[in-house]
Amino acid sequence: AQVDDSFEIVKTSANFNGQTSITLAVLRQPDANTVAVVDAVRAAIPAFREQLPQSVTMTVTNDRAKSIREALHDVTLTMALTIGLVVLVIFLFLRRLTATVVPTLSLPVSLLGAVALLWGFGYTIDNISLLGLTLAVGLVVDDAIVMLENIVRHVEHGVPPFQAALKGSREV
């Protein structure tokens, strides 16, 4: 006969690093912030460890907040590089400080406006809204450059700057 020190009927089992283990999955509510839930669970782990015997170890195997934090870092880096490259390219081609300032200021203002609208409507920033903000940066940059290029073209043809701005913006 084969004798196992186990249960009569084993329907589920968990192994971690080749050892029998207990798996505890903490699931967030649909309206909860994943990062806040993970931070709260990680803050509670030391108190749980103190209550466990020395022979029991507690290991976090899956952390969904890590990918969210990395995505936020990537989007932030992408936006910063985009803004820097746009400012550099505009300055190199137009060689005018005032012409470079307009698109440079339009990016942060539009991003702050978008985040203010998200906050005002009670939305949170998730991977989809980060993707939308990244795409919006490209659109804002493109529109600002087209507008600026049209205004500069009128200024180069002798139209006073204010009149060129009015005429160029109407055309766009």
Side-chain angles (χ1 to χ4, degrees), residues 61-102:
T61 59
N62 188 7
D63 183 351
R64 304 250 341 249
K66 183 178 178 186
S67 63
I68 294 170
R69 285 187 173 107
E70 288 173 356
L72 185 60
H73 176 265
D74 289 346
V75 168
T76 305
L77 183 64
T78 301
M79 286 186 188
L81 285 173
T82 301
I83 291 170
L85 288 172
V86 165
V87 169
L88 181 66
V89 167
I90 291 172
F91 185 74
L92 288 176
F93 279 97
L94 297 178
R95 297 193 188 275
R96 294 182 185 175
L97 185 61
T98 55
T100 306
V101 170
V102 173

PDB file of all heavy atoms in Angstrom, residues 61-102:
ATOM      1  N   THR A  61       4.130  36.762  -4.680  1.00  0.00           N
ATOM      2  CA  THR A  61       4.490  36.167  -5.976  1.00  0.00           C
ATOM      3  C   THR A  61       3.991  36.984  -7.163  1.00  0.00           C
ATOM      4  O   THR A  61       4.516  36.853  -8.260  1.00  0.00           O
ATOM      5  CB  THR A  61       3.932  34.737  -6.101  1.00  0.00           C
ATOM      6  OG1 THR A  61       2.513  34.776  -5.956  1.00  0.00           O
ATOM      7  CG2 THR A  61       4.541  33.835  -5.051  1.00  0.00           C
ATOM      8  N   ASN A  62       2.985  37.804  -6.956  1.00  0.00           N
ATOM      9  CA  ASN A  62       2.436  38.566  -8.066  1.00  0.00           C
ATOM     10  C   ASN A  62       2.075  39.959  -7.567  1.00  0.00           C
ATOM     11  O   ASN A  62       1.355  40.098  -6.577  1.00  0.00           O
ATOM     12  CB  ASN A  62       1.192  37.858  -8.629  1.00  0.00           C
ATOM     13  CG  ASN A  62       0.694  38.502  -9.902  1.00  0.00           C
ATOM     14  OD1 ASN A  62       1.326  39.384 -10.449  1.00  0.00           O
ATOM     15  ND2 ASN A  62      -0.463  38.071 -10.363  1.00  0.00           N
ATOM     16  N   ASP A  63       2.581  40.972  -8.258  1.00  0.00           N
ATOM     17  CA  ASP A  63       2.346  42.356  -7.866  1.00  0.00           C
ATOM     18  C   ASP A  63       1.917  43.126  -9.106  1.00  0.00           C
ATOM     19  O   ASP A  63       2.738  43.459  -9.953  1.00  0.00           O
ATOM     20  CB  ASP A  63       3.627  42.943  -7.262  1.00  0.00           C
ATOM     21  CG  ASP A  63       3.441  44.360  -6.758  1.00  0.00           C
ATOM     22  OD1 ASP A  63       2.376  44.956  -7.015  1.00  0.00           O
ATOM     23  OD2 ASP A  63       4.367  44.859  -6.105  1.00  0.00           O
ATOM     24  N   ARG A  64       0.613  43.382  -9.237  1.00  0.00           N
ATOM     25  CA  ARG A  64       0.089  44.066 -10.421  1.00  0.00           C
ATOM     26  C   ARG A  64       0.468  45.542 -10.442  1.00  0.00           C
ATOM     27  O   ARG A  64       0.447  46.175 -11.484  1.00  0.00           O
ATOM     28  CB  ARG A  64      -1.429  43.935 -10.478  1.00  0.00           C
ATOM     29  CG  ARG A  64      -1.928  42.516 -10.453  1.00  0.00           C
ATOM     30  CD  ARG A  64      -2.540  41.961 -11.690  1.00  0.00           C
ATOM     31  NE  ARG A  64      -3.000  42.820 -12.691  1.00  0.00           N
ATOM     32  CZ  ARG A  64      -4.263  43.012 -13.007  1.00  0.00           C
ATOM     33  NH1 ARG A  64      -5.207  42.423 -12.336  1.00  0.00           N
ATOM     34  NH2 ARG A  64      -4.586  43.795 -14.016  1.00  0.00           N
ATOM     35  N   ALA A  65       0.806  46.112  -9.297  1.00  0.00           N
ATOM     36  CA  ALA A  65       1.162  47.532  -9.238  1.00  0.00           C
ATOM     37  C   ALA A  65       2.503  47.795  -9.920  1.00  0.00           C
ATOM     38  O   ALA A  65       2.741  48.899 -10.413  1.00  0.00           O
ATOM     39  CB  ALA A  65       1.205  48.013  -7.802  1.00  0.00           C
ATOM     40  N   LYS A  66       3.368  46.789  -9.968  1.00  0.00           N
ATOM     41  CA  LYS A  66       4.685  46.979 -10.581  1.00  0.00           C
ATOM     42  C   LYS A  66       4.548  47.354 -12.055  1.00  0.00           C
ATOM     43  O   LYS A  66       5.177  48.304 -12.524  1.00  0.00           O
ATOM     44  CB  LYS A  66       5.514  45.705 -10.433  1.00  0.00           C
ATOM     45  CG  LYS A  66       6.909  45.821 -10.966  1.00  0.00           C
ATOM     46  CD  LYS A  66       7.694  44.543 -10.752  1.00  0.00           C
ATOM     47  CE  LYS A  66       9.080  44.676 -11.344  1.00  0.00           C
ATOM     48  NZ  LYS A  66       9.825  43.432 -11.287  1.00  0.00           N
ATOM     49  N   SER A  67       3.706  46.635 -12.798  1.00  0.00           N
ATOM     50  CA  SER A  67       3.538  46.945 -14.223  1.00  0.00           C
ATOM     51  C   SER A  67       2.866  48.299 -14.417  1.00  0.00           C
ATOM     52  O   SER A  67       3.171  49.018 -15.364  1.00  0.00           O
ATOM     53  CB  SER A  67       2.732  45.848 -14.919  1.00  0.00           C
ATOM     54  OG  SER A  67       1.421  45.776 -14.389  1.00  0.00           O
ATOM     55  N   ILE A  68       1.970  48.668 -13.506  1.00  0.00           N
ATOM     56  CA  ILE A  68       1.303  49.972 -13.605  1.00  0.00           C
ATOM     57  C   ILE A  68       2.307  51.093 -13.356  1.00  0.00           C
ATOM     58  O   ILE A  68       2.334  52.083 -14.089  1.00  0.00           O
ATOM     59  CB  ILE A  68       0.127  50.054 -12.612  1.00  0.00           C
ATOM     60  CG1 ILE A  68      -0.961  49.058 -13.023  1.00  0.00           C
ATOM     61  CG2 ILE A  68      -0.427  51.468 -12.522  1.00  0.00           C
ATOM     62  CD1 ILE A  68      -2.060  48.876 -12.004  1.00  0.00           C
ATOM     63  N   ARG A  69       3.151  50.918 -12.351  1.00  0.00           N
ATOM     64  CA  ARG A  69       4.177  51.931 -12.076  1.00  0.00           C
ATOM     65  C   ARG A  69       5.167  52.038 -13.240  1.00  0.00           C
ATOM     66  O   ARG A  69       5.597  53.144 -13.600  1.00  0.00           O
ATOM     67  CB  ARG A  69       4.908  51.596 -10.783  1.00  0.00           C
ATOM     68  CG  ARG A  69       4.094  51.893  -9.547  1.00  0.00           C
ATOM     69  CD  ARG A  69       4.914  51.698  -8.282  1.00  0.00           C
ATOM     70  NE  ARG A  69       4.181  52.137  -7.126  1.00  0.00           N
ATOM     71  CZ  ARG A  69       3.637  51.332  -6.225  1.00  0.00           C
ATOM     72  NH1 ARG A  69       3.780  50.028  -6.337  1.00  0.00           N
ATOM     73  NH2 ARG A  69       2.956  51.814  -5.203  1.00  0.00           N
ATOM     74  N   GLU A  70       5.531  50.907 -13.831  1.00  0.00           N
ATOM     75  CA  GLU A  70       6.445  50.931 -14.980  1.00  0.00           C
ATOM     76  C   GLU A  70       5.797  51.616 -16.178  1.00  0.00           C
ATOM     77  O   GLU A  70       6.455  52.376 -16.895  1.00  0.00           O
ATOM     78  CB  GLU A  70       6.875  49.508 -15.340  1.00  0.00           C
ATOM     79  CG  GLU A  70       7.835  48.898 -14.340  1.00  0.00           C
ATOM     80  CD  GLU A  70       8.114  47.424 -14.609  1.00  0.00           C
ATOM     81  OE1 GLU A  70       7.494  46.847 -15.531  1.00  0.00           O
ATOM     82  OE2 GLU A  70       8.946  46.856 -13.875  1.00  0.00           O
ATOM     83  N   ALA A  71       4.512  51.361 -16.414  1.00  0.00           N
ATOM     84  CA  ALA A  71       3.808  52.014 -17.519  1.00  0.00           C
ATOM     85  C   ALA A  71       3.747  53.520 -17.303  1.00  0.00           C
ATOM     86  O   ALA A  71       3.963  54.302 -18.239  1.00  0.00           O
ATOM     87  CB  ALA A  71       2.401  51.440 -17.658  1.00  0.00           C
ATOM     88  N   LEU A  72       3.481  53.937 -16.074  1.00  0.00           N
ATOM     89  CA  LEU A  72       3.443  55.367 -15.767  1.00  0.00           C
ATOM     90  C   LEU A  72       4.815  56.003 -15.976  1.00  0.00           C
ATOM     91  O   LEU A  72       4.923  57.101 -16.540  1.00  0.00           O
ATOM     92  CB  LEU A  72       2.965  55.581 -14.334  1.00  0.00           C
ATOM     93  CG  LEU A  72       2.756  57.015 -13.890  1.00  0.00           C
ATOM     94  CD1 LEU A  72       1.716  57.696 -14.753  1.00  0.00           C
ATOM     95  CD2 LEU A  72       2.338  57.057 -12.433  1.00  0.00           C
ATOM     96  N   HIS A  73       5.862  55.302 -15.567  1.00  0.00           N
ATOM     97  CA  HIS A  73       7.220  55.805 -15.767  1.00  0.00           C
ATOM     98  C   HIS A  73       7.528  55.914 -17.263  1.00  0.00           C
ATOM     99  O   HIS A  73       8.094  56.909 -17.718  1.00  0.00           O
ATOM    100  CB  HIS A  73       8.228  54.886 -15.079  1.00  0.00           C
ATOM    101  CG  HIS A  73       9.649  55.289 -15.311  1.00  0.00           C
ATOM    102  ND1 HIS A  73      10.419  54.735 -16.309  1.00  0.00           N
ATOM    103  CD2 HIS A  73      10.427  56.204 -14.697  1.00  0.00           C
ATOM    104  CE1 HIS A  73      11.614  55.297 -16.295  1.00  0.00           C
ATOM    105  NE2 HIS A  73      11.644  56.186 -15.324  1.00  0.00           N
ATOM    106  N   ASP A  74       7.151  54.886 -18.032  1.00  0.00           N
ATOM    107  CA  ASP A  74       7.410  54.908 -19.476  1.00  0.00           C
ATOM    108  C   ASP A  74       6.677  56.049 -20.163  1.00  0.00           C
ATOM    109  O   ASP A  74       7.236  56.730 -21.027  1.00  0.00           O
ATOM    110  CB  ASP A  74       7.004  53.574 -20.117  1.00  0.00           C
ATOM    111  CG  ASP A  74       7.932  52.437 -19.738  1.00  0.00           C
ATOM    112  OD1 ASP A  74       9.028  52.714 -19.204  1.00  0.00           O
ATOM    113  OD2 ASP A  74       7.554  51.272 -19.964  1.00  0.00           O
ATOM    114  N   VAL A  75       5.427  56.261 -19.790  1.00  0.00           N
ATOM    115  CA  VAL A  75       4.654  57.345 -20.407  1.00  0.00           C
ATOM    116  C   VAL A  75       5.246  58.697 -20.028  1.00  0.00           C
ATOM    117  O   VAL A  75       5.368  59.587 -20.870  1.00  0.00           O
ATOM    118  CB  VAL A  75       3.168  57.248 -20.001  1.00  0.00           C
ATOM    119  CG1 VAL A  75       2.412  58.504 -20.369  1.00  0.00           C
ATOM    120  CG2 VAL A  75       2.532  56.045 -20.664  1.00  0.00           C
ATOM    121  N   THR A  76       5.631  58.854 -18.781  1.00  0.00           N
ATOM    122  CA  THR A  76       6.241  60.109 -18.341  1.00  0.00           C
ATOM    123  C   THR A  76       7.537  60.381 -19.098  1.00  0.00           C
ATOM    124  O   THR A  76       7.775  61.499 -19.571  1.00  0.00           O
ATOM    125  CB  THR A  76       6.519  60.068 -16.824  1.00  0.00           C
ATOM    126  OG1 THR A  76       5.312  59.759 -16.145  1.00  0.00           O
ATOM    127  CG2 THR A  76       7.069  61.383 -16.329  1.00  0.00           C
ATOM    128  N   LEU A  77       8.357  59.344 -19.238  1.00  0.00           N
ATOM    129  CA  LEU A  77       9.608  59.493 -19.979  1.00  0.00           C
ATOM    130  C   LEU A  77       9.343  59.817 -21.448  1.00  0.00           C
ATOM    131  O   LEU A  77       9.988  60.699 -22.022  1.00  0.00           O
ATOM    132  CB  LEU A  77      10.436  58.207 -19.859  1.00  0.00           C
ATOM    133  CG  LEU A  77      11.804  58.222 -20.520  1.00  0.00           C
ATOM    134  CD1 LEU A  77      12.705  59.260 -19.862  1.00  0.00           C
ATOM    135  CD2 LEU A  77      12.426  56.847 -20.450  1.00  0.00           C
ATOM    136  N   THR A  78       8.373  59.129 -22.046  1.00  0.00           N
ATOM    137  CA  THR A  78       8.025  59.383 -23.446  1.00  0.00           C
ATOM    138  C   THR A  78       7.553  60.813 -23.647  1.00  0.00           C
ATOM    139  O   THR A  78       7.955  61.482 -24.602  1.00  0.00           O
ATOM    140  CB  THR A  78       6.935  58.395 -23.915  1.00  0.00           C
ATOM    141  OG1 THR A  78       7.424  57.070 -23.775  1.00  0.00           O
ATOM    142  CG2 THR A  78       6.529  58.655 -25.349  1.00  0.00           C
ATOM    143  N   MET A  79       6.695  61.285 -22.751  1.00  0.00           N
ATOM    144  CA  MET A  79       6.199  62.662 -22.875  1.00  0.00           C
ATOM    145  C   MET A  79       7.317  63.682 -22.696  1.00  0.00           C
ATOM    146  O   MET A  79       7.381  64.667 -23.423  1.00  0.00           O
ATOM    147  CB  MET A  79       5.075  62.909 -21.872  1.00  0.00           C
ATOM    148  CG  MET A  79       3.787  62.250 -22.251  1.00  0.00           C
ATOM    149  SD  MET A  79       2.484  62.746 -21.117  1.00  0.00           S
ATOM    150  CE  MET A  79       1.180  61.664 -21.642  1.00  0.00           C
ATOM    151  N   ALA A  80       8.190  63.442 -21.737  1.00  0.00           N
ATOM    152  CA  ALA A  80       9.301  64.379 -21.518  1.00  0.00           C
ATOM    153  C   ALA A  80      10.226  64.409 -22.731  1.00  0.00           C
ATOM    154  O   ALA A  80      10.642  65.489 -23.180  1.00  0.00           O
ATOM    155  CB  ALA A  80      10.076  63.990 -20.267  1.00  0.00           C
ATOM    156  N   LEU A  81      10.547  63.243 -23.280  1.00  0.00           N
ATOM    157  CA  LEU A  81      11.391  63.194 -24.482  1.00  0.00           C
ATOM    158  C   LEU A  81      10.700  63.846 -25.670  1.00  0.00           C
ATOM    159  O   LEU A  81      11.335  64.566 -26.456  1.00  0.00           O
ATOM    160  CB  LEU A  81      11.759  61.753 -24.819  1.00  0.00           C
ATOM    161  CG  LEU A  81      12.812  61.105 -23.927  1.00  0.00           C
ATOM    162  CD1 LEU A  81      12.961  59.624 -24.256  1.00  0.00           C
ATOM    163  CD2 LEU A  81      14.136  61.817 -24.078  1.00  0.00           C
ATOM    164  N   THR A  82       9.399  63.609 -25.800  1.00  0.00           N
ATOM    165  CA  THR A  82       8.642  64.212 -26.904  1.00  0.00           C
ATOM    166  C   THR A  82       8.679  65.720 -26.817  1.00  0.00           C
ATOM    167  O   THR A  82       8.946  66.405 -27.809  1.00  0.00           O
ATOM    168  CB  THR A  82       7.183  63.716 -26.874  1.00  0.00           C
ATOM    169  OG1 THR A  82       7.170  62.303 -26.992  1.00  0.00           O
ATOM    170  CG2 THR A  82       6.375  64.332 -27.987  1.00  0.00           C
ATOM    171  N   ILE A  83       8.412  66.238 -25.640  1.00  0.00           N
ATOM    172  CA  ILE A  83       8.419  67.692 -25.471  1.00  0.00           C
ATOM    173  C   ILE A  83       9.814  68.252 -25.753  1.00  0.00           C
ATOM    174  O   ILE A  83       9.962  69.251 -26.458  1.00  0.00           O
ATOM    175  CB  ILE A  83       7.941  68.069 -24.048  1.00  0.00           C
ATOM    176  CG1 ILE A  83       6.463  67.749 -23.899  1.00  0.00           C
ATOM    177  CG2 ILE A  83       8.208  69.533 -23.745  1.00  0.00           C
ATOM    178  CD1 ILE A  83       5.937  67.845 -22.483  1.00  0.00           C
ATOM    179  N   GLY A  84      10.836  67.600 -25.238  1.00  0.00           N
ATOM    180  CA  GLY A  84      12.207  68.061 -25.483  1.00  0.00           C
ATOM    181  C   GLY A  84      12.586  68.036 -26.955  1.00  0.00           C
ATOM    182  O   GLY A  84      13.156  68.997 -27.479  1.00  0.00           O
ATOM    183  N   LEU A  85      12.252  66.947 -27.644  1.00  0.00           N
ATOM    184  CA  LEU A  85      12.578  66.858 -29.073  1.00  0.00           C
ATOM    185  C   LEU A  85      11.793  67.861 -29.900  1.00  0.00           C
ATOM    186  O   LEU A  85      12.321  68.454 -30.848  1.00  0.00           O
ATOM    187  CB  LEU A  85      12.331  65.436 -29.577  1.00  0.00           C
ATOM    188  CG  LEU A  85      13.335  64.389 -29.108  1.00  0.00           C
ATOM    189  CD1 LEU A  85      12.884  62.996 -29.514  1.00  0.00           C
ATOM    190  CD2 LEU A  85      14.716  64.690 -29.661  1.00  0.00           C
ATOM    191  N   VAL A  86      10.540  68.062 -29.562  1.00  0.00           N
ATOM    192  CA  VAL A  86       9.721  69.027 -30.301  1.00  0.00           C
ATOM    193  C   VAL A  86      10.297  70.421 -30.152  1.00  0.00           C
ATOM    194  O   VAL A  86      10.439  71.160 -31.136  1.00  0.00           O
ATOM    195  CB  VAL A  86       8.258  68.971 -29.816  1.00  0.00           C
ATOM    196  CG1 VAL A  86       7.476  70.187 -30.272  1.00  0.00           C
ATOM    197  CG2 VAL A  86       7.603  67.703 -30.313  1.00  0.00           C
ATOM    198  N   VAL A  87      10.638  70.793 -28.936  1.00  0.00           N
ATOM    199  CA  VAL A  87      11.206  72.125 -28.707  1.00  0.00           C
ATOM    200  C   VAL A  87      12.512  72.279 -29.488  1.00  0.00           C
ATOM    201  O   VAL A  87      12.747  73.297 -30.141  1.00  0.00           O
ATOM    202  CB  VAL A  87      11.430  72.359 -27.191  1.00  0.00           C
ATOM    203  CG1 VAL A  87      12.252  73.610 -26.943  1.00  0.00           C
ATOM    204  CG2 VAL A  87      10.106  72.425 -26.470  1.00  0.00           C
ATOM    205  N   LEU A  88      13.352  71.259 -29.457  1.00  0.00           N
ATOM    206  CA  LEU A  88      14.625  71.314 -30.169  1.00  0.00           C
ATOM    207  C   LEU A  88      14.427  71.433 -31.682  1.00  0.00           C
ATOM    208  O   LEU A  88      15.048  72.280 -32.327  1.00  0.00           O
ATOM    209  CB  LEU A  88      15.451  70.065 -29.841  1.00  0.00           C
ATOM    210  CG  LEU A  88      16.821  69.983 -30.498  1.00  0.00           C
ATOM    211  CD1 LEU A  88      17.724  71.086 -29.966  1.00  0.00           C
ATOM    212  CD2 LEU A  88      17.433  68.623 -30.255  1.00  0.00           C
ATOM    213  N   VAL A  89      13.542  70.622 -32.230  1.00  0.00           N
ATOM    214  CA  VAL A  89      13.309  70.646 -33.687  1.00  0.00           C
ATOM    215  C   VAL A  89      12.715  71.983 -34.113  1.00  0.00           C
ATOM    216  O   VAL A  89      13.133  72.571 -35.122  1.00  0.00           O
ATOM    217  CB  VAL A  89      12.403  69.464 -34.104  1.00  0.00           C
ATOM    218  CG1 VAL A  89      11.890  69.630 -35.519  1.00  0.00           C
ATOM    219  CG2 VAL A  89      13.154  68.150 -33.963  1.00  0.00           C
ATOM    220  N   ILE A  90      11.742  72.480 -33.362  1.00  0.00           N
ATOM    221  CA  ILE A  90      11.137  73.770 -33.721  1.00  0.00           C
ATOM    222  C   ILE A  90      12.183  74.873 -33.673  1.00  0.00           C
ATOM    223  O   ILE A  90      12.271  75.702 -34.580  1.00  0.00           O
ATOM    224  CB  ILE A  90       9.957  74.096 -32.787  1.00  0.00           C
ATOM    225  CG1 ILE A  90       8.803  73.138 -33.064  1.00  0.00           C
ATOM    226  CG2 ILE A  90       9.489  75.533 -32.967  1.00  0.00           C
ATOM    227  CD1 ILE A  90       7.668  73.240 -32.082  1.00  0.00           C
ATOM    228  N   PHE A  91      13.008  74.876 -32.632  1.00  0.00           N
ATOM    229  CA  PHE A  91      14.026  75.922 -32.526  1.00  0.00           C
ATOM    230  C   PHE A  91      15.057  75.804 -33.649  1.00  0.00           C
ATOM    231  O   PHE A  91      15.484  76.810 -34.212  1.00  0.00           O
ATOM    232  CB  PHE A  91      14.706  75.873 -31.164  1.00  0.00           C
ATOM    233  CG  PHE A  91      15.679  76.998 -30.969  1.00  0.00           C
ATOM    234  CD1 PHE A  91      15.222  78.283 -30.747  1.00  0.00           C
ATOM    235  CD2 PHE A  91      17.045  76.769 -31.017  1.00  0.00           C
ATOM    236  CE1 PHE A  91      16.114  79.327 -30.576  1.00  0.00           C
ATOM    237  CE2 PHE A  91      17.939  77.814 -30.857  1.00  0.00           C
ATOM    238  CZ  PHE A  91      17.473  79.092 -30.632  1.00  0.00           C
ATOM    239  N   LEU A  92      15.457  74.578 -33.992  1.00  0.00           N
ATOM    240  CA  LEU A  92      16.448  74.397 -35.062  1.00  0.00           C
ATOM    241  C   LEU A  92      15.924  74.838 -36.421  1.00  0.00           C
ATOM    242  O   LEU A  92      16.665  75.378 -37.228  1.00  0.00           O
ATOM    243  CB  LEU A  92      16.899  72.936 -35.117  1.00  0.00           C
ATOM    244  CG  LEU A  92      17.789  72.469 -33.970  1.00  0.00           C
ATOM    245  CD1 LEU A  92      18.077  70.974 -34.096  1.00  0.00           C
ATOM    246  CD2 LEU A  92      19.081  73.258 -33.930  1.00  0.00           C
ATOM    247  N   PHE A  93      14.615  74.597 -36.676  1.00  0.00           N
ATOM    248  CA  PHE A  93      14.080  74.959 -37.984  1.00  0.00           C
ATOM    249  C   PHE A  93      13.660  76.424 -38.068  1.00  0.00           C
ATOM    250  O   PHE A  93      13.875  77.067 -39.095  1.00  0.00           O
ATOM    251  CB  PHE A  93      12.898  74.052 -38.348  1.00  0.00           C
ATOM    252  CG  PHE A  93      13.336  72.726 -38.893  1.00  0.00           C
ATOM    253  CD1 PHE A  93      13.406  71.618 -38.063  1.00  0.00           C
ATOM    254  CD2 PHE A  93      13.708  72.590 -40.214  1.00  0.00           C
ATOM    255  CE1 PHE A  93      13.824  70.395 -38.549  1.00  0.00           C
ATOM    256  CE2 PHE A  93      14.131  71.372 -40.709  1.00  0.00           C
ATOM    257  CZ  PHE A  93      14.194  70.272 -39.875  1.00  0.00           C
ATOM    258  N   LEU A  94      13.062  76.966 -37.025  1.00  0.00           N
ATOM    259  CA  LEU A  94      12.577  78.345 -37.081  1.00  0.00           C
ATOM    260  C   LEU A  94      13.590  79.352 -36.549  1.00  0.00           C
ATOM    261  O   LEU A  94      13.534  80.521 -36.910  1.00  0.00           O
ATOM    262  CB  LEU A  94      11.264  78.476 -36.309  1.00  0.00           C
ATOM    263  CG  LEU A  94      10.103  77.653 -36.857  1.00  0.00           C
ATOM    264  CD1 LEU A  94       8.887  77.827 -35.978  1.00  0.00           C
ATOM    265  CD2 LEU A  94       9.788  78.044 -38.287  1.00  0.00           C
ATOM    266  N   ARG A  95      14.460  78.923 -35.669  1.00  0.00           N
ATOM    267  CA  ARG A  95      15.500  79.768 -35.078  1.00  0.00           C
ATOM    268  C   ARG A  95      14.941  81.045 -34.458  1.00  0.00           C
ATOM    269  O   ARG A  95      15.527  82.119 -34.565  1.00  0.00           O
ATOM    270  CB  ARG A  95      16.573  80.102 -36.103  1.00  0.00           C
ATOM    271  CG  ARG A  95      17.302  78.874 -36.598  1.00  0.00           C
ATOM    272  CD  ARG A  95      18.554  79.253 -37.352  1.00  0.00           C
ATOM    273  NE  ARG A  95      19.155  78.086 -37.980  1.00  0.00           N
ATOM    274  CZ  ARG A  95      19.979  77.256 -37.380  1.00  0.00           C
ATOM    275  NH1 ARG A  95      20.296  77.444 -36.133  1.00  0.00           N
ATOM    276  NH2 ARG A  95      20.488  76.229 -38.020  1.00  0.00           N
ATOM    277  N   ARG A  96      13.774  80.921 -33.849  1.00  0.00           N
ATOM    278  CA  ARG A  96      13.158  82.052 -33.156  1.00  0.00           C
ATOM    279  C   ARG A  96      12.694  81.583 -31.788  1.00  0.00           C
ATOM    280  O   ARG A  96      11.929  80.618 -31.674  1.00  0.00           O
ATOM    281  CB  ARG A  96      11.945  82.579 -33.920  1.00  0.00           C
ATOM    282  CG  ARG A  96      12.306  83.192 -35.234  1.00  0.00           C
ATOM    283  CD  ARG A  96      11.098  83.734 -35.903  1.00  0.00           C
ATOM    284  NE  ARG A  96      11.457  84.223 -37.227  1.00  0.00           N
ATOM    285  CZ  ARG A  96      10.603  84.673 -38.099  1.00  0.00           C
ATOM    286  NH1 ARG A  96       9.324  84.695 -37.795  1.00  0.00           N
ATOM    287  NH2 ARG A  96      11.005  85.099 -39.263  1.00  0.00           N
ATOM    288  N   LEU A  97      13.115  82.278 -30.763  1.00  0.00           N
ATOM    289  CA  LEU A  97      12.760  81.886 -29.405  1.00  0.00           C
ATOM    290  C   LEU A  97      11.262  82.036 -29.166  1.00  0.00           C
ATOM    291  O   LEU A  97      10.631  81.152 -28.583  1.00  0.00           O
ATOM    292  CB  LEU A  97      13.551  82.716 -28.392  1.00  0.00           C
ATOM    293  CG  LEU A  97      13.363  82.324 -26.935  1.00  0.00           C
ATOM    294  CD1 LEU A  97      13.811  80.889 -26.715  1.00  0.00           C
ATOM    295  CD2 LEU A  97      14.104  83.268 -26.033  1.00  0.00           C
ATOM    296  N   THR A  98      10.677  83.131 -29.633  1.00  0.00           N
ATOM    297  CA  THR A  98       9.238  83.335 -29.412  1.00  0.00           C
ATOM    298  C   THR A  98       8.414  82.277 -30.136  1.00  0.00           C
ATOM    299  O   THR A  98       7.386  81.833 -29.623  1.00  0.00           O
ATOM    300  CB  THR A  98       8.808  84.737 -29.876  1.00  0.00           C
ATOM    301  OG1 THR A  98       9.186  84.917 -31.242  1.00  0.00           O
ATOM    302  CG2 THR A  98       9.425  85.810 -29.015  1.00  0.00           C
ATOM    303  N   ALA A  99       8.850  81.871 -31.318  1.00  0.00           N
ATOM    304  CA  ALA A  99       8.124  80.838 -32.060  1.00  0.00           C
ATOM    305  C   ALA A  99       8.268  79.477 -31.383  1.00  0.00           C
ATOM    306  O   ALA A  99       7.404  78.610 -31.523  1.00  0.00           O
ATOM    307  CB  ALA A  99       8.631  80.760 -33.498  1.00  0.00           C
ATOM    308  N   THR A 100       9.322  79.280 -30.655  1.00  0.00           N
ATOM    309  CA  THR A 100       9.541  78.018 -29.953  1.00  0.00           C
ATOM    310  C   THR A 100       8.738  77.962 -28.655  1.00  0.00           C
ATOM    311  O   THR A 100       8.302  76.891 -28.240  1.00  0.00           O
ATOM    312  CB  THR A 100      11.038  77.854 -29.643  1.00  0.00           C
ATOM    313  OG1 THR A 100      11.780  77.999 -30.854  1.00  0.00           O
ATOM    314  CG2 THR A 100      11.333  76.494 -29.062  1.00  0.00           C
ATOM    315  N   VAL A 101       8.504  79.114 -28.042  1.00  0.00           N
ATOM    316  CA  VAL A 101       7.806  79.145 -26.756  1.00  0.00           C
ATOM    317  C   VAL A 101       6.344  78.719 -26.889  1.00  0.00           C
ATOM    318  O   VAL A 101       5.805  78.051 -26.011  1.00  0.00           O
ATOM    319  CB  VAL A 101       7.917  80.561 -26.126  1.00  0.00           C
ATOM    320  CG1 VAL A 101       7.021  80.712 -24.920  1.00  0.00           C
ATOM    321  CG2 VAL A 101       9.353  80.845 -25.759  1.00  0.00           C
ATOM    322  N   VAL A 102       5.705  79.062 -27.997  1.00  0.00           N
ATOM    323  CA  VAL A 102       4.269  78.770 -28.166  1.00  0.00           C
ATOM    324  C   VAL A 102       3.975  77.271 -28.075  1.00  0.00           C
ATOM    325  O   VAL A 102       3.172  76.840 -27.239  1.00  0.00           O
ATOM    326  CB  VAL A 102       3.736  79.387 -29.477  1.00  0.00           C
ATOM    327  CG1 VAL A 102       2.315  78.942 -29.745  1.00  0.00           C
ATOM    328  CG2 VAL A 102       3.836  80.892 -29.430  1.00  0.00           C
TER     329      VAL A 102
END
